[in-house]
Amino acid sequence: MVFMLRGFTWKVFFPTCELFGHVIDCWSQVLNLDESKHAPESPLRVYCKTDVTNSYLESDLTESQRKDKFIENLVLSIEDMDAILCFVGLKEYIVDYLKSHNHPKAEMFSHVMPHRLEMPWRTINNSIDCGMFTMRHMETYMGGSMNEFKAGFKNESSTQDDQLVKLRTKYLYKIVTHEYNVQKDYVLQKVDEFHKIPSRQRSQLLAIAKEQIHMRLDDLS
């Protein structure tokens, strides 16, 4: 498996930028690769790409077509179904898929009641970092109740804002330096070249980059 973030996509990790779905897809691949090293006592998790649930949001499809499209996307996205799947609102689709493959836990899963967790770190004023929250939730949620969910976020505040900025750096670094990232050596070379530039010039370049990124995002919106 190989992956990369092309061109403009990786630049949305810049603070105050909303992440693209491609970034979440790339993160799902990173986490799936990391799952091969999970501790025996940890539940086995599988991460799907964002397009798996697209059919659920398409109002012009019939219920049957939505289900068929969902299963088609699911099959394309994952290979191992012996894992935790968290799709609140899509349980019936999952159950139908498991039954069609005679999965031993299909009947048990059909009786599971989905719950929408009420996280205390939910925000009212921050509509930009939903992608970062998603990535953190993907990384840390192990199933179970809210008391067992240790995402590490503070409640909405400047402290939480700082946490989100640090996570942007952490996750971008993890993706860039991952052994399966085919662009790893190229990007690290560019980083090394950037750090050789005088500090004042680096600050100027960052300011220009920030302005250009937001202009590009405005053009795409």
Side-chain angles (χ1 to χ4, degrees):
M1 179 186 294
V2 296
F3 58 85
M4 65 177 72
L5 291 178
R6 292 183 178 275
F8 180 70
T9 306
W10 66 269
K11 296 178 183 178
V12 296
F13 273 99
F14 204 95
T16 72
C17 293
E18 190 170 355
L19 299 185
F20 294 157
H22 302 307
V23 174
I24 308 297
D25 293 341
C26 188
W27 185 238
S28 71
Q29 289 183 289
V30 169
L31 293 178
N32 279 328
L33 290 165
D34 288 349
E35 275 299 295
S36 63
K37 307 169 186 176
H38 79 289
E41 64 274 12
S42 297
L44 178 60
R45 298 171 294 172
V46 63
Y47 301 90
C48 301
K49 294 182 179 179
T50 54
D51 60 4
V52 169
T53 57
N54 284 352
S55 61
Y56 186 71
L57 303 175
E58 295 179 17
S59 58
D60 58 332
L61 298 179
T62 66
E63 184 65 20
S64 178
Q65 289 173 328
R66 287 184 184 183
K67 182 179 69 175
D68 291 343
K69 188 63 177 177
F70 171 80
I71 291 176
E72 177 186 340
N73 291 341
L74 182 64
V75 171
L76 291 173
S77 183
I78 63 175
E79 297 177 354
D80 184 4
M81 286 297 297
D82 185 20
I84 288 178
L85 290 170
C86 301
F87 290 112
V88 176
L90 298 172
K91 190 190 79 171
E92 298 306 320
Y93 294 179
I94 294 290
V95 170
D96 286 346
Y97 176 84
L98 295 178
K99 287 182 177 179
S100 70
H101 285 71
N102 297 315
H103 195 283
K105 294 188 177 181
E107 185 62 27
M108 181 197 73
F109 198 87
S110 68
H111 297 292
V112 172
M113 181 63 66
H115 293 282
R116 183 174 181 270
L117 299 184
E118 301 289 333
M119 291 88 73
W121 54 85
R122 290 177 300 168
T123 64
I124 296 175
N125 301 309
N126 183 352
S127 60
I128 296 297
D129 287 305
C130 52
M132 291 309 304
F133 282 111
T134 298
M135 292 173 73
R136 182 61 175 171
H137 293 165
M138 291 167 67
E139 180 185 34
T140 57
Y141 186 60
M142 297 289 182
S145 67
M146 189 64 244
N147 291 333
E148 300 171 288
F149 192 5
K150 308 298 182 183
F153 283 119
K154 300 295 184 181
N155 290 355
E156 186 172 17
S157 60
S158 59
T159 301
Q160 186 192 81
D161 292 340
D162 291 340
Q163 288 181 308
L164 291 164
V165 170
K166 290 177 181 178
L167 280 178
R168 285 175 179 266
T169 302
K170 173 185 174 181
Y171 289 161
L172 177 58
Y173 179 81
K174 184 167 184 175
I175 292 173
V176 166
T177 60
H178 200 281
E179 59 182 312
Y180 283 92
N181 182 8
V182 298
Q183 295 280 28
K184 172 183 175 180
D185 293 338
Y186 171 77
V187 175
L188 290 180
Q189 177 187 341
K190 291 298 181 182
V191 170
D192 185 59
E193 292 174 0
F194 180 76
H195 280 288
K196 292 178 181 178
I197 298 174
S199 176
R200 184 174 181 179
Q201 187 178 352
R202 288 204 307 268
S203 298
Q204 293 172 339
L205 290 173
L206 286 172
I208 294 172
K210 180 180 180 180
E211 182 179 353
Q212 291 177 339
I213 289 170
H214 282 285
M215 288 177 60
R216 180 74 179 276
L217 288 173
D218 289 340
D219 291 340
L220 293 174
S221 62

